[in-house]
Amino acid sequence: MDVYQGAVAALVPFLVAERAYGYAAASGIVLAASLLSSVVQPLFGMLADRRPMPWLIPLATACAGLGIALVGLDAGYPATVAAVALSGLGVAAYHPAAARLVRAAVGGPGHTAMSWFALGGNVGFACAPLLVAGALAVPGPAGWWLLALPAALGVLLNRPGPAGASGRPEAAPVPAQAPAPEAVPAEDRRAFLRLSLVVITRSVVFTGLSTFIALYVRERGGGGTAGSVALFALFAGSAGGTLLGGRLAGRWGRTTTVRRAYAAAAPAVAGILLLPAPLVPVCAALAAAALYVPFSLQVTLGQDYLPTRMGTASGVTLGLTVSVGGLASPLIGAAADALSLRAALLPLAALPVLAWALARRLPEPAA
């Protein structure tokens, strides 16, 4: 599924080169993918809390792939925005239900299982530039429809069976004698709000980098291949950081791991912008790893801060707060059109410090 989030960023250099979009217009494409997610993903989370919807995951997967494939019609900028928005809607519908299912399946803190779940998504992110480059090398509309193949496979793997989604049995019904109210941990809305601010800050940094790093490498004298390598390094680093997050949380605890990761992210992001061009892929991988160590941990922290509304918490931490980065991308693009791309990206180096400061007061939920 997350291959289609990565595909949007991977398509930005193509749209700039082949369709003559400016930085602001190209970042508007990213905004289209993010805007629906920012609005509707928490709503899908609330629906997942209330009723099982085994058909939602395959339908969402189909929408994500179809939207990206329809970008190839080149029916004008509004149609391109609408196609990317359809893909973003599919991504929005998928994540809360899937994250809730993972947490319900394993029980307990769940940060290791959630890190593996997020790792799958980040592998999709990492593969997106390669998928886009390979598909668009095929002339004509066939290349664009090749981009829909992962979605078709996902629909087949997740189609509802007689026992529920993917043929797996649904969760057991609530017993007649429910646990006493005092057995359910209390909500910590204040901590959840602070966590949301942390995730928003992280989202602006990563989305800004993933949208513009390939263009930034080109601006510094690298070709299209060098830009794709930098984007691939960014996405590959995110996959490694996600898996590392679960291991570090088992040693240090989730909140300590989150704080240390953001402290490490600041110099790595600065390195992308200030060090010589050959070091950009290395710094990109390090920055992405540091930014993604907290990713799955923040999902389980949000679920523990709102233990009776895990789907809603997943929708916010995976959707609303993450998608705010897409809302910031047009501002970065407008600054790049007015000044330079490096000047527009420089503020991103300071944002991990802000995330670290906000995370210092996050409590570790009781077991």
Side-chain angles (χ1 to χ4, degrees):
M1 170 59 71
D2 283 346
V3 71
Y4 293 109
Q5 284 187 299
V8 175
L11 285 172
V12 166
F14 168 83
L15 296 173
V16 170
E18 300 296 327
R19 300 186 186 177
Y21 293 165
Y23 288 140
S27 58
I29 300 296
V30 180
L31 172 63
S34 301
L35 187 59
L36 275 176
S37 294
S38 67
V39 174
V40 304
Q41 194 159 158
L43 300 180
F44 281 115
M46 287 187 281
L47 289 174
D49 283 332
R50 294 185 178 184
R51 62 168 66 181
M53 294 182 289
W55 47 266
L56 181 60
I57 289 179
L59 177 62
T61 304
C63 288
L66 178 62
I68 293 298
L70 290 176
V71 174
L73 295 178
D74 193 11
Y77 185 76
T80 299
V81 171
V84 173
L86 174 64
S87 181
L89 180 63
V91 171
Y94 173 86
H95 280 115
R100 188 180 187 279
L101 183 63
V102 170
R103 188 64 186 273
V106 300
H111 47 257
T112 300
M114 194 64 70
S115 70
W116 281 101
F117 169 71
L119 174 65
N122 285 299
V123 168
F125 259 107
C127 292
L130 305 178
L131 174 66
V132 169
L136 296 189
V138 177
W144 288 95
W145 289 109
L146 285 175
L147 293 175
L149 284 181
L153 178 61
V155 170
L156 289 175
L157 293 175
N158 291 285
R159 67 188 185 279
S166 307
R168 292 183 293 268
E170 296 292 339
V174 177
Q177 293 183 344
E182 56 269 22
V184 179
E187 292 186 350
D188 191 342
R189 298 184 182 181
R190 193 173 196 177
F192 185 77
L193 176 59
R194 179 175 290 273
L195 175 68
S196 298
L197 295 175
V198 172
V199 182
I200 286 171
T201 306
R202 176 211 162 276
S203 171
V204 173
V205 179
F206 188 80
T207 306
L209 290 176
S210 62
T211 302
F212 293 107
I213 192 170
L215 294 171
Y216 174 70
V217 170
R218 288 187 180 186
E219 190 178 86
R220 295 188 63 178
T225 301
S228 296
V229 168
L231 186 61
F232 175 77
L234 187 77
F235 289 164
S238 68
T242 300
L243 187 57
L244 184 61
R247 294 177 178 270
L248 294 179
R251 178 180 300 178
W252 296 335
R254 285 175 290 178
T255 55
T256 299
T257 301
V258 167
R259 291 193 296 270
R260 292 179 178 178
Y262 285 124
V269 175
I272 295 174
L273 304 172
L274 302 176
L275 293 181
L279 295 176
V280 168
V282 177
C283 293
L286 294 174
L291 290 169
Y292 263 86
V293 162
F295 184 77
S296 62
L297 309 181
Q298 290 166 162
V299 176
T300 59
L301 281 171
Q303 291 172 337
D304 287 341
Y305 292 148
L306 299 181
T308 61
R309 293 182 289 174
M310 287 191 180
T312 303
S314 301
V316 172
T317 52
L318 287 170
L320 179 60
T321 50
V322 173
S323 300
V324 171
L327 302 178
S329 291
L331 300 178
I332 298 174
D337 286 333
L339 302 170
S340 70
L341 190 52
R342 174 182 279 185
L345 293 176
L346 275 175
L348 299 184
L351 291 181
V353 179
L354 175 60
W356 169 82
L358 289 168
R360 288 186 66 193
R361 296 181 62 186
L362 286 177
E364 185 73 45

